């Protein structure tokens, strides 16, 4: 049986360490990660090894040679261009005997008993066995769901929290029968997780998951790199630590010199030829490489120091990583989470603040205070994008400095000299953040169409109209007024997809920004007639004569929104009499329930409807002249009724959170409902795929005939047009609808338990009908409950719906208690 070690990765999230070495050659307690893997394979009887290489291959080849020092036969396969994980394995084995294959990563640390996994593979007659492990945060891995016998029934690569159905994840260790290679095309990119395994699962091939016991860490980022070193010192993983244990928890290699006045608190590893001088303090867990000189009175705590580095007198380093051949002079202080690349020279009395990264070969002058990374990346938080765009507290999570970097990251993925449309709401905080983002975009050589203060539907519409490649809109979050929301739009005006979000995140975290020369800096233009183009486009999609005949009278509360700059003009052209409240620029009345005031005025002036523009004009609320405030679910149902009355066979897209009553209406009128995930981008994607006539969620309304995104302005006018055709009182429509009661609550939990709780819920209710579109939706006769992991917070959003309010409340309480109980027992 041959083992293939995947060792071609660049390890971009481990930069700056991996700028000068491939990821498998980063050291864990005195040895490269890949050496620990080869030791594991050798000890478990593997003799024939092949390593697939791509990035800096000569460093690995020079170190391991033919593998004889580890009692193995090691050869290499070097790709000329990336072929993906599966493609690279087939390429590597093209001239090898067709034996069973073990695939293992050369940059993940583990002590799994691979022989037990092979035994499991044989006993089940598996074509492929994926070795699994349980992790606290499954978002960065491939989540796998298996039957009791281990047969795989579902997996998803790098899910969102709404797609996390288990905490069992793919470790990248696979056992393959040789015929599996026949499914892999020659000389083209092909991936195990994204391509091969889904194809085999669709063919119902025997794919199994083996839940291994033991240690596994994929060392995907610098925090995990530190932790893996500390875990090795604390004996959480069974690996060989070089040298000998001179005192409990203190390991030294050959010819180490330690002054008698030095204080060392275990666990600590000290490499060969290293010298620790007088009155030095080393507090474990700490790893010190070969030929390191630590001068008098320095203090190191929770660090990893690479080889051939000098640390001067009275230097303090806490919880940081220092690369090879660095020169850190006297009285320098390095705070928590710093990473310093190889060959860096740091002068005396330098202060390096937390989370700073310094790329290799830099010179930092004496007395410098370093608050930001030099040349490349620092990390603000683990994920940049949330449920919708980038959101955070103003001047705490999102400062002007961070906003500038966000703009630079976005500009970097766009073509130079292209144009981006930028807009914002009326709040001063949004103006500040918009200007900072704009600055970052200009710095990358991308130009900006600044359309100033306009609602997001107008911004979306203007992107295609102006032939721009993208857009950015900044507003106060509709979900939390203390937060700002930054939304990124593609060339069609829809929210960017998850892959584009990840590109921006990767550039932001690494600060791998495109910088341009002075003459290439982007320009700002202020295009005219933006509102006029939007208004004309809207009116061209509306049957104006129908609305004029009805001679509507409405009361509308703009909530200070800039929509009031042009919507009265639309009303005038459509012959709609309107009483306007809280116009843009006025002192807006801050009412908790603005519908109540609109209701009173609607009845007093005998208007047909009262309306409130909300969610930055992506949606509106409706009040009837009979004094009824229509709920969001009921309004979606009403709009569905009106759409289907005009087009009975239309398809309509709604997310999994919306009431079942909408489905009943569609059923009665001959239409069909397609459920989608809750995120706006997912709703848009589903509409596009299904060619639906209408889409809606709690966030807004989409009529793709006008634009493929939330637009409450168009939806409001379209509502008036459709109600003119149907000519049935809205209250009558609502009263005729099947009645369901939906309730919801937020349930807090420990972040690391989110995946485990989802798995336990699936196991507990396995006999029920479960839907996995977004989160898990469990059906009970005429009721349902939806458990949706919050994408940004350590909590779940739980929805329950039943034909009676009491049933809904009881169901919600039951699942709230189950989640709380699981959270306590799993912690």
């Amino acid at each position: 049986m041959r083992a293939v070690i995947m060792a071609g990765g660049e390890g971009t999230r481990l930069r700056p360490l991996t700028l000068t070495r491939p990821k498998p050659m980063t050291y864990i307690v005195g040895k490269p990660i890949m050496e620990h893997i080869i030791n594991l394979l050798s000890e478990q009887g593997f003799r024939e090894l092949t390593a697939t290489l791509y990035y800096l291959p000569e460093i690995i080849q020079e170190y391991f040679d033919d593998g004889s020092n580890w009692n193995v036969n090691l050869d290499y396969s070097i790709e000329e261009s990336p072929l993906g994980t599966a493609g690279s394995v087939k390429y590597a084995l093209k001239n090898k005997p067709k034996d069973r294959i073990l695939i293992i990563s050369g940059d993940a640390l583990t002590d799994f008993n691979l022989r037990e996994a092979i035994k499991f593979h044989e006993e089940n007659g598996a074509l492929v066995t994926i070795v699994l492990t349980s992790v606290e945060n499954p978002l960065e891995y491939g989540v796998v769901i298996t039957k009791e016998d281990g047969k795989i029934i579902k997996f998803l690569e790098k899910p969102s929290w709404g797609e996390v159905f288990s905490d069992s994840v793919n470790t990248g260790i696979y056992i393959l029968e040789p015929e599996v290679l026949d499914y892999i095309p020659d000389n083209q990119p092909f991936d195990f997780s994204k391509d091969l395994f889904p194809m085999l699962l669709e063919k119902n091939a025997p794919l199994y998951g083996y839940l291994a016991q033991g240690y596994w860490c994929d060392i995907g980022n610098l925090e995990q790199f530190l932790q893996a070193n500390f875990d090795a010192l604390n004996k959480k993983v069974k690996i060989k630590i070089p040298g000998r244990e001179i005192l409990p928890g203190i390991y030294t290699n050959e010819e180490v010199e330690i002054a008698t006045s030095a204080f060392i608190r275990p666990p600590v590893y000290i490499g060969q030829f290293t010298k620790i001088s007088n009155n030095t303090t080393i507090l474990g867990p700490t790893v010190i490489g070969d030929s390191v000189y630590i001068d008098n009175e320095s203090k190191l705590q929770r660090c990893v120091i690479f080889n051939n580095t000098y640390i001067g007198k009275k230097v303090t380093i806490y919880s940081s990583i220092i690369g090879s051949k660095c020169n850190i002079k006297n009285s320098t202080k390095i705070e928590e989470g710093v990473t310093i690349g190889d060959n860096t020279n740091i002068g005396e009395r330098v202060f390096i603040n937390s989370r700073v990264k310094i790329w290799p070969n830099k010179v930092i002058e004496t007395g410098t205070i370093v608050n930001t990374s030099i040349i490349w990346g620092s990390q603000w938080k683990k994920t940049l994008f949330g449920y919708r765009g980038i959101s955070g507290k103003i001047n705490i999570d999102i400062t002007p400095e961070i906003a500038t970097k966000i703009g630079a990251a976005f500009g970097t993925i766009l073509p130079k000299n292209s144009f981006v449309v930028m807009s914002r709401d009326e709040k001063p905080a949004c103006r500040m953040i918009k200007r900072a983002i704009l600055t970052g975009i200009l710095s990358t050589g991308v130009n900006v169409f600044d359309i100033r203060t306009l609602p997001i539907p107008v911004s979306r519409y203007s992107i295609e109209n102006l032939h721009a490649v993208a857009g950015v809109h900044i507003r106060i979050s509709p979900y939390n007024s203390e937060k700002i929301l930054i939304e990124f739009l593609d060339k069609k005006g829809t929210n960017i997809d998850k892959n584009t979000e990840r590109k921006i995140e990767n550039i932001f975290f690494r600060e791998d920004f495109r910088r341009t020369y002075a003459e290439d800096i982007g320009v700002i233009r202020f295009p005219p007639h933006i509102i006029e183009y939007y208004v004309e486009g809207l009116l061209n999609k509306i049957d104006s004569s129908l609305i004029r005949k009805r001679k509507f009278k409405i009361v509308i509360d703009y909530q200070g929104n800039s929509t009031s700059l042009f919507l009265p003009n639309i009303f005038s052209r459509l012959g709609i009499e309107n009483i306007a409240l809280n116009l843009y620029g006025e002192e807006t009345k801050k009412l908790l329930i603005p519908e109540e005031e609109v209701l009173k005025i609607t009845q007093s002036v005998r208007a047909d409807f009262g309306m409130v523009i909300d969610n930055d004009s992506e949606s509106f609320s409706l009040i009837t002249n009979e004094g009824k405030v229509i709920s969001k679910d009921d309004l979606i149902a009403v709009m569905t009724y009106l759409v289907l009355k005009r087009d009975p066979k239309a398809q309509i897209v709604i997310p999994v959170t919306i009431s079942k009553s909408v489905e009943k209406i569609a059923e009665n009128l001959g239409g069909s409902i397609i459920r989608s995930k809750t995120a706006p981008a997912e709703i848009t994607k589903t509409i596009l795929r299904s060619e639906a006539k209408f889409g809606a969620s709690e966030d807004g309304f989409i009529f793709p005939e006008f634009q493929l995104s939330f637009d409450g302005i168009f939806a409001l006018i379209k509502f008036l047009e459709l109600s003119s055709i149907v000519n049935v009182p809205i209250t009558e429509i609502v009263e005729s609808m099947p009645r369901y009661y939906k309730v919801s609550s937020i349930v807090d939990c420990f972040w690391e338990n989110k995946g485990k709780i989802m798995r336990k819920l699936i196991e507990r209710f396995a006999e029920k009908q479960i839907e996995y579109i977004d989160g898990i939706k469990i059906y009970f006769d005429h009721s349902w409950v939806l458990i949706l992991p919050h994408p940004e917070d350590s909590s779940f959003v739980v929805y329950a719906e039943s034909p009676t309010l009491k049933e809904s409340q009881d169901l919600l309480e039951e699942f709230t208690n189950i989640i709380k109980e699981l959270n306590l027992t799993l912690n």
Side-chain angles (χ1 to χ4, degrees):
M1 185 171 181
R2 177 172 294 273
V4 177
I5 303 171
M6 309 292 287
E10 295 184 27
T12 53
R13 289 183 295 160
L14 283 182
R15 289 179 177 177
L17 301 180
T18 50
L19 287 168
T20 48
R21 58 179 67 80
K23 185 179 173 185
M25 295 303 291
T26 51
Y27 276 57
I28 302 292
V29 189
K31 292 181 181 178
I33 305 169
M34 185 167 160
E35 185 171 355
H36 291 297
I37 295 301
I38 290 175
N39 280 332
L40 178 75
L41 293 169
S42 180
E43 288 165 7
Q44 297 193 23
F46 289 85
R47 292 291 170 263
E48 299 301 322
L49 274 56
T50 296
T52 64
L53 310 180
Y54 177 69
Y55 177 65
L56 302 177
E58 61 280 358
I59 295 175
I60 293 175
Q61 289 174 301
E62 186 178 338
Y63 187 91
F64 292 106
D65 196 24
D66 63 0
S68 55
N69 289 341
W70 292 268
N71 197 26
V72 297
N73 299 317
L74 176 62
D75 57 42
Y76 304 92
S77 171
I78 303 175
E79 302 167 48
E80 294 180 4
S81 60
L83 294 172
T85 52
S88 67
V89 168
K90 181 163 187 179
Y91 180 81
L93 299 180
K94 60 183 176 181
N95 297 319
K96 300 286 193 301
K98 291 200 170 182
D99 300 321
R100 183 179 291 154
I101 310 151
L102 175 89
I103 312 293
I104 191 167
S105 174
D107 53 28
L109 187 65
T110 185
D111 59 9
F112 287 163
N113 188 329
L114 302 172
R115 288 174 292 194
E116 287 294 321
I118 294 165
K119 181 181 176 184
F120 172 90
H121 176 86
E122 291 173 342
E123 288 174 351
N124 285 282
L127 182 66
V128 175
T129 294
I130 301 174
V131 177
L132 310 175
T133 192
S134 294
V135 297
E136 289 181 353
N137 185 353
L139 290 187
E140 289 301 314
Y141 308 101
V143 173
V144 180
I145 301 175
T146 64
K147 294 182 179 177
E148 286 186 10
D149 63 356
K151 188 141 193 258
I152 293 171
I153 57 173
K154 189 177 183 68
F155 54 83
L156 186 65
E157 189 72 4
K158 294 188 178 177
S160 65
W161 268 119
E163 298 166 321
V164 172
F165 310 123
S166 172
D167 62 335
S168 298
V169 301
N170 179 357
T171 64
I173 302 173
Y174 313 128
I175 302 161
L176 312 178
E177 291 303 310
E179 57 264 37
V180 172
L181 297 180
D182 296 335
Y183 292 96
I184 303 170
D186 293 322
N187 301 317
Q188 68 182 63
F190 203 73
D191 196 85
F192 282 118
S193 296
K194 293 177 184 175
D195 303 310
L196 179 63
F197 296 158
M199 180 176 69
L200 293 177
L201 194 63
E202 193 174 318
K203 293 177 182 292
N204 202 27
L207 266 70
Y208 281 78
Y210 172 74
L211 189 59
Q213 303 302 309
Y215 182 91
W216 178 82
C217 179
D218 118 274
I219 314 182
N221 56 42
L222 294 164
E223 289 80 8
Q224 289 171 333
F225 172 78
L226 269 180
Q227 192 59 51
N229 273 279
F230 299 164
D231 288 347
L233 284 178
N234 286 312
K235 299 186 178 178
K236 292 183 179 179
V237 54
K238 299 170 187 172
I239 61 171
K240 288 181 180 177
I241 296 179
R244 60 195 181 94
E245 192 172 7
I246 59 170
L247 287 170
I250 299 178
Y251 303 88
T252 64
N253 216 320
E254 302 168 2
E255 299 185 42
V256 168
E257 184 179 339
I258 302 172
T260 55
S261 59
F263 174 76
I264 300 176
R265 186 181 73 193
V268 170
Y269 169 78
I270 303 169
Q272 63 183 353
F273 311 126
T274 286
K275 180 177 179 179
I276 297 174
S277 301
N278 295 322
N279 299 312
T280 294
T281 300
I282 312 289
L283 303 178
T286 289
V287 174
I288 301 170
D290 299 341
S291 303
V292 173
Y293 189 151
I294 302 174
D295 218 330
N296 300 336
E297 298 181 58
S298 286
K299 181 179 180 179
L300 280 66
Q301 183 174 1
R302 294 178 61 83
C303 299
V304 173
I305 313 295
F306 280 58
N307 301 342
N308 301 295
T309 283
Y310 170 76
I311 296 171
K313 296 180 177 69
K314 297 183 179 180
V315 169
T316 303
I317 305 173
Y318 176 70
S319 198
S320 292
I321 304 166
I322 312 298
S324 295
K325 300 178 184 175
C326 291
N327 185 353
I328 301 172
K329 294 184 179 174
N330 301 344
S331 302
T332 283
K333 186 174 183 180
I334 299 174
E335 290 289 309
E336 180 181 4
V338 170
T339 305
I340 296 176
D342 297 347
N343 302 299
T344 296
N345 284 287
I346 299 174
E348 295 185 359
R349 301 185 307 282
V350 169
F351 176 82
I352 302 178
N353 214 337
S354 301
R355 304 290 169 190
V356 163
K357 295 176 190 171
I358 298 174
W359 253 224
N361 306 306
K362 299 296 171 290
V363 176
I364 300 174
E365 294 180 359
T366 294
T368 301
I369 297 173
V370 183
N371 283 320
T372 58
S373 298
I374 297 179
I375 303 301
W376 311 95
S378 63
Q379 186 167 337
W380 167 39
K381 57 182 182 179
K382 289 190 176 179
T383 54
L384 195 58
F385 284 84
Y387 164 74
R388 185 173 184 176
I390 298 172
S391 180
K393 288 191 174 180
I394 302 159
N395 267 342
I396 297 173
D397 299 321
I398 299 183
T399 63
E401 298 87 351
I402 288 169
T404 304
K405 292 179 182 179
I406 289 170
F410 187 48
T412 299
I413 71 167
L414 302 175
K416 280 179 71 175
N417 300 317
S418 59
F419 273 89
V420 172
V421 172
M422 292 197 72
S423 57
R424 64 173 179 88
D425 73 11
E426 69 283 356
K427 300 296 189 293
C430 297
R431 178 176 57 202
M432 173 186 75
I433 295 301
K434 178 191 158 196
R435 288 177 177 177
I437 293 173
L438 186 148
T439 300
I441 291 172
L442 296 178
S443 74
T444 65
V446 174
N447 306 309
V448 170
F449 282 131
D450 188 350
I451 63 172
R452 303 175 183 173
T453 306
L454 284 173
I456 191 169
V458 179
S459 184
R460 293 180 189 277
Y461 186 83
S462 66
I463 293 171
E464 276 198 282
N465 206 41
L466 292 168
H467 305 292
V469 299
V472 184
H473 184 76
I474 300 97
R475 55 170 159 159
I476 298 299
S477 171
Y479 316 110
N480 186 336
S481 61
E482 293 183 357
K483 292 185 175 182
I484 206 162
L485 175 62
I486 306 165
E487 292 193 74
F488 297 88
L489 314 174
D490 63 19
K491 63 183 180 181
K492 293 186 178 295
T494 60
N495 287 60
I496 59 173
D497 59 29
K498 195 182 292 185
N499 288 334
T500 308
E501 288 180 353
R502 283 178 175 153
K503 286 179 185 176
I504 296 167
E505 281 184 342
N506 288 337
I507 292 166
F508 176 86
F509 291 142
R510 299 199 309 262
E511 292 189 20
D512 197 357
F513 308 133
R514 179 175 67 215
R515 296 298 188 197
T516 55
Y517 295 108
E519 60 270 20
D520 295 326
I521 297 295
V523 299
I524 307 171
R525 290 185 183 165
F526 302 94
H529 310 304
I530 295 299
I531 292 173
E532 289 85 347
Y533 289 133
Y534 174 82
V535 169
E536 293 306 317
L538 182 151
L539 292 173
N540 285 336
K541 295 292 182 179
I542 294 292
D543 189 336
S544 303
S545 61
L546 277 172
I547 299 174
R548 288 194 195 97
K549 285 177 188 175
R550 278 293 302 270
K551 297 182 179 179
F552 284 106
K553 181 178 183 180
I554 66 171
V555 175
I556 184 161
D557 186 343
Y558 289 98
Q559 291 290 290
N561 192 294
S562 57
T563 306
S564 65
L565 296 172
F566 57 90
L567 189 50
N569 174 43
I570 296 175
F571 288 151
S572 175
R573 293 174 67 175
L574 293 173
I576 299 168
E577 183 182 348
N578 62 98
I579 294 95
L581 309 176
N582 295 314
L583 298 170
Y584 175 70
E586 293 182 349
E587 189 63 36
T588 306
K589 293 180 183 178
K590 300 294 182 183
L591 296 173
L592 288 175
I593 309 175
E595 289 85 356
E596 289 184 356
E597 182 187 36
V598 175
L599 187 152
K600 291 174 187 175
I601 299 173
T602 300
Q603 290 186 306
S604 68
V605 301
R606 297 183 179 180
D608 295 294
F609 300 110
M611 294 172 168
V612 179
I613 291 284
D614 53 23
N615 202 11
D616 199 20
S617 301
E618 291 186 319
S619 183
F620 68 92
S621 301
L622 181 68
I623 299 97
T624 69
N625 56 4
E626 293 93 345
K628 183 174 178 59
V629 178
I630 307 298
S631 70
K632 273 283 189 261
D633 274 30
D634 282 351
L635 182 54
I636 291 169
V638 166
M639 293 288 268
T640 299
Y641 177 92
L642 295 173
V643 168
L644 291 175
K645 272 291 187 179
R646 184 171 188 176
D647 190 351
K649 294 190 177 180
Q651 295 191 98
I652 289 167
V653 173
I654 55 173
V656 290
T657 53
I658 299 301
S659 173
K660 194 176 179 180
S661 61
V662 181
E663 289 174 344
K664 293 294 183 183
I665 288 171
E667 193 178 300
N668 294 337
L669 295 176
S672 58
I673 296 296
I674 301 169
R675 295 281 185 172
S676 75
K677 296 177 183 177
T678 54
E682 296 294 337
I683 298 169
T684 300
K685 194 188 299 181
T686 308
I687 291 172
L688 198 59
R689 188 169 58 242
S690 63
E691 298 183 349
K693 298 290 185 182
F694 172 60
S697 77
E698 293 92 339
D699 289 325
F701 304 101
I702 302 174
F703 282 91
E705 65 191 88
F706 181 54
Q707 60 174 332
L708 196 63
S709 50
F710 293 138
D711 189 336
I713 306 164
F714 183 84
L716 188 155
I717 302 298
K718 192 71 177 176
F719 165 78
L720 295 175
E721 179 202 283
L722 293 172
S723 63
S724 301
I725 299 169
V726 175
N727 202 22
V728 176
I730 299 303
T731 307
E732 188 178 311
I733 296 173
V734 172
E735 288 172 355
S736 69
M737 292 188 310
R739 182 50 51 199
Y740 292 92
Y741 295 86
K742 188 177 76 175
V743 291
S744 65
S745 69
I746 295 174
V747 187
D748 292 331
C749 70
F750 296 109
W751 185 274
E752 62 271 17
N753 283 347
K754 288 167 82 173
K756 294 176 184 176
I757 289 170
M758 294 292 277
R759 174 166 57 85
K760 290 290 185 183
L761 287 168
I762 291 170
E763 291 171 358
R764 184 178 294 195
F765 295 94
E767 77 285 354
K768 298 289 184 184
Q769 180 190 346
I770 300 178
E771 196 173 73
Y772 298 99
I773 295 172
D774 203 0
I776 55 172
K777 194 172 187 178
I778 307 169
Y779 289 89
F780 303 86
D781 297 328
H782 303 294
S783 306
W784 57 262
V785 64
L786 172 67
I787 301 97
L788 200 60
H790 197 288
E792 300 172 37
D793 300 331
S794 53
S795 63
F796 290 90
V797 185
V798 184
Y799 297 83
E801 184 177 78
S802 295
T804 70
L805 181 59
K806 186 177 186 309
E807 284 179 301
S808 297
Q809 290 170 336
D810 289 346
L811 195 58
L812 182 67
E813 184 179 2
E814 178 189 348
F815 273 83
T816 298
N817 290 334
I818 289 171
I819 292 169
K820 287 178 179 177
E821 174 193 321
L822 286 172
N823 187 48
L824 291 174
T825 56
L826 290 170
N827 190 37

